[in-house]
Amino acid sequence: MSDIRTVLITGASAGIGEATALQLAKDGNYRLVLCARRIQKLEALKKRILSDFPNTDIHIFELDVRDKGAVESSISNLPSDYSKIDVLINNAGLSQGLDPIDTGLTDDWDRMIDTNLKGLLYVTHSTLPLMKECKNGQIINIGSIAAKQVYPKGNVYNATKHAVDALSKAMRIDLVEKGIKVSAVHPGMVETEFSEVRFKGDKERAKKVYQDFTPLTGGDIADVISYILKVPEHVNIDDVLVMPKAQANAYVTHKN
Ligand code: NDP
Ligand code: 8X3
């Protein structure tokens, strides 16, 4: 078993994915394969990583996880140095809108289902053949507190994240005999681009979500992921719920 593991991170251009790429570069024993739709952001991240951690091997590529054909061809045609994936971090995801079920927009629903659920499935399906040879494969799915609790107007986003929770459990069963570990990390509120994306560019509304308490940072979640990847080979962290101290659950956040 090589000491250097190759890690594929989806949605690495911002937030939790970007912070995880930086943390794993710092940890030092990972070869990074990073994808997202915004290639310029990935290029800037690659530059930063190579400036801070010059010995990092890093490959970036543009990918919309909703595009089944693009997922299949880009992952099956990775450069040979990066074509054996040890670790997959299914992080790409988003919320669109915050509306009751009767007035929600069906286009928003499609975007969330296509990204958070179908995208995760396409990427996993394309990556598993590249993991087969390694005896210590590992998948980390990023769920949410919304995978555990349903909150008002969260309907379809909540449903996609409940599905990520269910799929994480199902993958663990189906992959156990192949020696592939499956973990799910479920964050509470993390200050990233998430709310700006949910509210379609309304920065003021997004900012208010994280006001008057201390939310998690992408780095907090990256720390948890880094730890999950470091436990001994015979140990698996199945499921982690990580909340800001001020957030008791999906409904109760203590604001000053
Ligand atoms: P950000 O909006 O900051 O980052 C989301 C990332 O996903 C970006 O890199 C974005 O890249 C990528 N992405 C979105 N759609 C696609 C797509 N179709 N194809 C490829 N990449 C895509 O949000 P977070 O970092 O907060 O979110 C990361 C994950 O964490 C998501 O799954 C989210 O649901 C989950 N989460 C977030 C929480 C929070 O409070 N922030 C709490 C709980 C879970 P690009 O736009 O360049 O494609
Ligand atoms: C993102 C956190 O509380 O907005 O999954 O659902 S929340």
Side-chain angles (χ1 to χ4, degrees):
M1 178 172 74
S2 159
D3 286 343
I4 303 284
R5 285 188 284 172
T6 304
V7 183
L8 169 58
I9 306 176
T10 66
S13 61
I16 294 169
E18 179 183 30
T20 302
L22 283 162
Q23 179 60 49
L24 298 188
K26 187 176 175 195
D27 287 350
N29 42 350
Y30 301 99
R31 199 178 284 118
L32 301 177
V33 183
L34 310 178
C35 60
R37 292 167 303 179
R38 289 172 295 174
I39 192 72
Q40 297 92 334
K41 286 239 174 202
L42 292 177
E43 276 158 2
L45 175 61
K46 178 175 174 179
K47 217 166 149 190
R48 181 171 167 199
I49 288 174
L50 289 177
S51 154
D52 291 354
F53 312 104
N55 294 328
T56 314
D57 289 319
I58 173 163
H59 173 67
I60 59 170
F61 64 101
E62 187 176 334
L63 181 65
D64 185 334
V65 296
R66 295 171 297 178
D67 184 339
K68 181 158 57 166
V71 169
E72 283 168 1
S73 72
S74 60
I75 295 180
S76 63
N77 288 305
L78 283 168
S80 57
D81 284 353
Y82 298 91
S83 65
K84 189 180 79 58
I85 303 291
D86 301 275
V87 179
L88 166 63
I89 303 179
N90 275 317
N91 165 74
L94 81 182
S95 182
Q96 288 276 271
L98 189 65
D99 303 295
I101 201 76
D102 52 335
T103 57
L105 303 178
T106 53
D107 282 349
D108 288 348
W109 299 351
D110 287 342
R111 210 161 291 134
M112 289 186 275
I113 292 166
D114 290 349
T115 309
N116 302 355
L117 180 49
K118 291 165 72 180
L120 178 146
L121 284 168
Y122 298 154
V123 171
T124 304
H125 191 255
S126 293
T127 305
L128 280 171
L130 310 184
M131 243 185 216
K132 272 208 177 111
E133 279 174 42
C134 77
K135 292 278 176 275
N136 62 336
Q138 196 159 355
I139 297 174
I140 301 179
N141 294 326
I142 306 302
S144 170
I145 178 64
K148 305 290 185 182
Q149 291 179 314
V150 173
Y151 55 78
K153 303 180 189 172
N155 44 62
V156 177
Y157 178 70
N158 296 168
T160 63
K161 289 299 181 177
H162 273 62
V164 172
D165 193 24
L167 280 171
S168 302
K169 292 172 189 158
M171 286 180 192
R172 203 171 295 124
I173 295 168
D174 292 349
L175 299 174
V176 69
E177 65 191 28
K178 296 183 168 60
I180 295 173
K181 303 201 277 194
V182 180
S183 305
V185 176
H186 301 286
M189 282 189 274
V190 190
E191 189 164 10
T192 61
E193 295 180 6
F194 177 86
S195 289
E196 208 177 310
V197 171
R198 166 173 263 173
F199 300 130
K200 301 172 184 173
D202 186 338
K203 286 187 199 294
E204 280 313 303
R205 192 174 173 197
K207 218 165 117 189
K208 285 200 183 105
V209 174
Y210 308 109
Q211 260 167 9
D212 304 323
F213 77 108
T214 307
L216 297 170
T217 64
D220 295 325
I221 304 306
D223 277 347
V224 173
I225 292 170
S226 164
Y227 177 75
I228 289 173
L229 292 175
K230 277 185 202 141
V231 296
E233 169 53 14
H234 68 285
V235 178
N236 189 45
I237 311 280
D238 281 12
D239 193 84
V240 188
L241 183 59
V242 193
M243 303 292 280
K245 179 180 170 187
Q247 188 181 5
N249 59 29
Y251 329 102
V252 179
T253 301
H254 177 68
K255 296 207 174 193
N256 295 313

